[in-house]
Amino acid sequence: MQTTGIKPVQRMKNQKFMRQAQIMDKERFEKQINFILEADKEKSILRQTHLSGHGRRENDAEHAWHMALMIYLLKEYSNDEIDVEKAMMMALIHDIVEIDAGDTYAYDVEGLKTQEEREKRAAERIFGLLPDDQKDKLKGLFEEFEAYETPEARFVHAIDNFQPLLLNNSNDGGDWKEHSVTKSQVMQRQSKTELGSKEIWKCTEKIIEENISRGNIENK
């Protein structure tokens, strides 16, 4: 008897895959692809922070990727035990609303007044591209991040504060100097970092003081 060279177990798996492909929900798949392509626009949203080594301005997608990597590497410094996969996903989608709302600079007083409303509208539209179950999941993660109440949200916020601080420090405070940022502004921005990680907060304080002493942050 002629054989195909494929083991029975593998043949069964192949047949199962073919059946699943045949019954694919085409409407669901189309919605997922539409969201994926929409999310690609995040690569075009530029932030005020520059890449390390005096590079160009980073974009939102780079910021989110960097945060997800940092969450995995620095998870041991969270004040509370966290679901790392959940926290990484939260980081990856937390700024996707800026496709519509734009990046609001941390020290833009006027922009901060309307940020919440702009981002709520954006969340409805962008996550609304997805099938209902995935829309509810990702929009729920975004809202959890914004609410700042769970261990994951607090730690992701700490990393969201720490990542640009590290880049700024690596660039000799260039972005702080460009915008004449003061100590009080930086401390206000970082005020909740300690809720997510006491250890990261200690490092944050040290970096801020060093940049004050070098004149990169105005001491007022």
Side-chain angles (χ1 to χ4, degrees), residues 133-210:
D133 62 317
Q134 292 182 326
K135 169 194 172 183
D136 292 344
K137 180 69 174 179
L138 294 193
K139 186 167 177 284
L141 279 179
F142 171 75
E143 290 171 349
E144 181 179 335
F145 170 77
E146 291 293 303
Y148 221 123
E149 294 175 351
T150 63
E152 289 80 13
R154 290 191 290 268
F155 188 62
V156 174
H157 269 287
I159 297 298
D160 193 23
N161 290 337
F162 192 47
Q163 188 264 355
L165 185 95
L166 286 178
L167 294 185
N168 250 327
N169 186 55
S170 77
N171 290 323
D172 194 31
D175 295 318
W176 288 317
K177 288 186 287 190
E178 179 182 348
H179 296 280
S180 300
V181 173
T182 66
K183 177 181 178 180
S184 61
Q185 288 178 307
V186 178
M187 294 300 285
Q188 183 178 4
R189 165 72 176 174
Q190 297 285 340
S191 62
K192 293 184 178 180
T193 296
E194 190 174 13
L195 298 178
S197 173
K198 290 182 172 62
E199 295 303 319
I200 289 177
W201 171 242
K202 290 177 185 176
C203 183
T204 294
E205 282 189 304
K206 183 178 179 181
I207 289 173
I208 292 171
E209 291 302 324
E210 287 175 350

Side-chain angles (χ1 to χ4, degrees), residues 111-121 142 146:
L112 291 170
K113 292 177 181 178
T114 62
Q115 180 181 13
E116 183 177 358
E117 182 57 36
R118 285 184 283 114
E119 293 187 350
K120 279 184 178 180
R121 290 197 303 269
F142 171 75
E146 291 293 303

Side-chain angles (χ1 to χ4, degrees), residues 43-77:
K43 299 173 186 175
S44 300
I45 308 300
L46 294 178
R47 295 164 51 80
Q48 293 298 321
T49 307
H50 287 71
L51 303 179
S52 59
H54 302 277
R56 59 167 172 78
R57 289 166 64 186
E58 73 169 347
N59 65 51
D60 270 354
E62 291 167 331
H63 168 63
W65 160 81
H66 210 190
M67 279 180 60
L69 180 63
M70 290 171 68
I71 286 165
Y72 180 81
L73 294 174
L74 304 178
K75 57 185 180 290
E76 64 199 83
Y77 305 113

Side-chain angles (χ1 to χ4, degrees), residues 25-42:
D25 184 332
K26 292 183 179 179
E27 182 181 354
R28 177 181 177 84
F29 186 65
E30 184 177 350
K31 287 181 177 181
Q32 291 165 330
I33 295 301
N34 287 340
F35 177 84
I36 288 167
L37 291 175
E38 188 70 13
D40 186 66
K41 295 177 182 177
E42 193 174 358

